[in-house]
Amino acid sequence: MLGVNEAISVPAAHGIGAEADALLDAQAEKLTATGARYVRLNASSTPRLFRVLRQEVPDWTEVDKAMRRLGALDVAVVVVVAPWPANEPWTMVASCAIEAPEAWQRRVQHLVERYDGDGKDDAPGAARVVAWEVDNEPDLHEDMRPGFCPPELHAETVRVTAEAIKRADPSATVLNGGLYRPHSALGKAYLASAVAAGLADHIDGFAGHVYPSAGNESLAVERLVRNVREVLGEIPIWITETSSIGEGDGTGPAGEAEQARAFAEVVGTARRLGVHALFWHTLTDPPIMRPGGVPYPGLFAVEVKEKEDGKVSVGGWREKPAVEVFRRMRTAGQGSGSSGGVSWSRVAGGWMVWSDSKKPGCGRPPAVPHGIAGGKVEADPCGWQIDGAAFAADQK
């Protein structure tokens, strides 16, 4: 399950209306171009579900609109459920404890019933929900604001929310809030404490994030899987956020080519280790870069920026090399291998091939590779020198 995190979303500064709709429609077109069939909808991003879930009587208008747009694209959704802005919750609440649990459960039950696709009280035309993720990066929030979301409190938040989700849809898949650093010792300790507090009794899969440094993609994913297996055993693993910006700030041919290689390595490693789902962050570079935000993580770069009356508008988005990798890795199946600093994974029509680090590798993939996505390929006595990402077509 290969998808995109916050794929169709615009900054809050754009509000709602014609300007925002034009941007969202443009993103929908780009999402279709990738072939993606799954997206993750964060509570903080468009349609800003957290605001709706704080209303005594929720107004589902904007949520319905967002879910219809995804439904029209035949896209399924992972929904992050939280009653606060899931990226910076301390701006609204004192802790990640659920205030007024009974009222919260009532609203969550209504949410799930509206979008569970069971034919009862469903929103017309809404996308199918494949999982409900309770909160977002609680371990990071605890690190940034000690006492805000200790592991036992997150476990209780998940319990209260999961009960409401299952009440509406007993077959629903519930995930913990995606941990920020499950590949680290700190993240593993947070998870272990949450499990000791009962977390495992209320989730059907583990959600975690990983933002590896350039050249360390495989190691980071391997550590994530190992840590989760040691704490939770054979539970389905959902990587609900991951990304790489490539070289430097991610701009320019070198940065974009490195991002494409990193994409192949992250997805290839996750596939080899049996990860159930992976969501890339994100589809398009934002029209307005937020201070402190992850720089240039999108599959598409902003093509035109025009300042008018102090506002920034997008003239279009340009496809980065990583999009071609996404298209091919979306079809990844059984079969993988590596040699001499080069790895490969079976995809439709051949093999996706990439160097295992920022440095070129030299190996013998199953077929003759051809450079794509910024990759360079040269014949060598050791086989093929691969710098970046390449595709090896099946021989006919």
Side-chain angles (χ1 to χ4, degrees):
M1 187 183 293
L2 180 60
V4 184
N5 179 48
E6 300 181 39
I8 302 179
S9 176
V10 297
H14 286 276
I16 59 176
E19 180 187 16
D21 281 343
L23 287 171
L24 294 168
D25 288 342
Q27 288 175 323
E29 180 183 342
K30 297 305 181 188
L31 184 67
T32 300
T34 69
R37 289 292 175 263
Y38 301 91
V39 301
R40 177 176 180 258
L41 200 65
N42 197 324
S44 297
S45 58
T46 307
R48 296 177 177 82
L49 178 61
F50 81 93
R51 295 191 183 278
V52 178
L53 288 174
R54 292 186 70 82
Q55 298 169 355
E56 186 174 345
V57 179
D59 178 356
W60 303 106
T61 303
E62 290 302 315
V63 184
D64 283 354
K65 189 175 179 180
M67 293 294 277
R68 280 198 306 270
R69 180 181 274 110
L70 293 169
L73 298 174
D74 192 24
V75 170
V77 189
V78 172
V79 178
V80 178
V81 184
W84 44 69
N87 292 330
E88 297 178 328
W90 54 82
T91 61
M92 186 167 286
V93 293
S95 78
C96 70
I98 296 296
E99 302 169 348
E102 290 184 2
W104 168 247
Q105 287 186 322
R106 185 171 60 252
R107 293 193 290 270
V108 169
Q109 191 170 341
H110 191 179
L111 167 74
V112 175
E113 187 59 70
R114 192 169 184 83
Y115 303 112
D116 63 4
D118 66 356
K120 177 185 175 183
D121 298 327
D122 292 339
R128 177 173 58 96
V129 176
V130 293
W132 304 91
E133 187 176 346
V134 184
D135 203 12
N136 178 68
E137 299 186 342
D139 56 328
L140 176 62
H141 300 154
E142 173 63 14
D143 184 53
M144 296 178 73
R145 299 289 193 278
F148 182 87
C149 200
E152 60 274 10
L153 193 52
H154 178 60
E156 176 63 8
T157 295
V158 172
R159 181 194 69 78
V160 170
T161 307
E163 284 180 357
I165 293 171
K166 294 289 189 178
R167 213 174 286 153
D169 181 7
S171 66
T173 295
V174 177
L175 310 174
N176 59 282
L179 296 194
Y180 175 67
R181 51 169 74 92
H183 51 297
S184 73
L186 284 173
K188 182 181 180 182
Y190 186 98
L191 176 60
S193 295
V195 169
L199 177 69
D201 297 332
H202 304 287
I203 58 174
D204 305 295
F206 168 81
H209 300 169
V210 58
Y211 287 94
S213 58
N216 292 307
E217 293 84 8
S218 288
L219 181 61
V221 175
E222 289 167 357
R223 285 175 173 170
L224 183 156
V225 172
R226 184 182 66 240
N227 287 349
V228 174
R229 293 283 175 251
E230 289 178 357
V231 176
L232 281 169
E234 292 301 315
I235 192 170
I237 295 175
W238 298 58
I239 297 179
T240 52
E241 286 187 32
T242 186
S243 198
S244 170
I245 62 168
E247 298 279 359
D249 64 2
T251 60
E256 292 183 6
E258 171 57 19
Q259 182 194 44
R261 183 208 64 79
F263 188 106
E265 184 163 355
V266 167
V267 178
T269 303
R271 179 69 186 80
R272 173 171 55 83
L273 296 176
V275 170
H276 179 73
L278 184 145
F279 292 77
W280 188 260
H281 180 79
T282 186
L283 182 72
T284 58
D285 288 345
I288 301 173
M289 292 305 298
R290 183 172 62 87
V294 179
Y296 306 101
L299 297 174
F300 293 84
V302 174
E303 193 169 45
V304 178
K305 293 183 179 181
E306 297 176 351
K307 292 188 176 181
E308 296 178 357
D309 300 327
K311 293 186 177 181
V312 179
S313 62
V314 176
W317 279 288
R318 171 183 55 79
E319 185 175 301
K320 295 182 185 178
V323 174
E324 180 63 19
V325 180
F326 188 104
R327 292 190 191 105
R328 295 188 183 277
M329 293 301 281
R330 188 175 58 84
T331 67
Q334 297 292 335
S336 62
S338 64
S339 75
V342 171
S343 290
W344 52 86
S345 181
R346 187 66 160 137
V347 297
W351 304 82
M352 191 69 210
V353 187
W354 62 91
S355 53
D356 291 342
S357 71
K358 294 166 62 177
K359 297 179 180 180
C362 194
R364 300 182 182 276
V368 176
H370 302 277
I372 63 168
K376 297 178 181 178
V377 176
E378 294 180 3
D380 190 274
C382 67
W384 294 93
Q385 282 239 6
I386 310 290
D387 184 6
F391 176 68
D394 287 334
Q395 301 299 307
K396 295 183 181 181

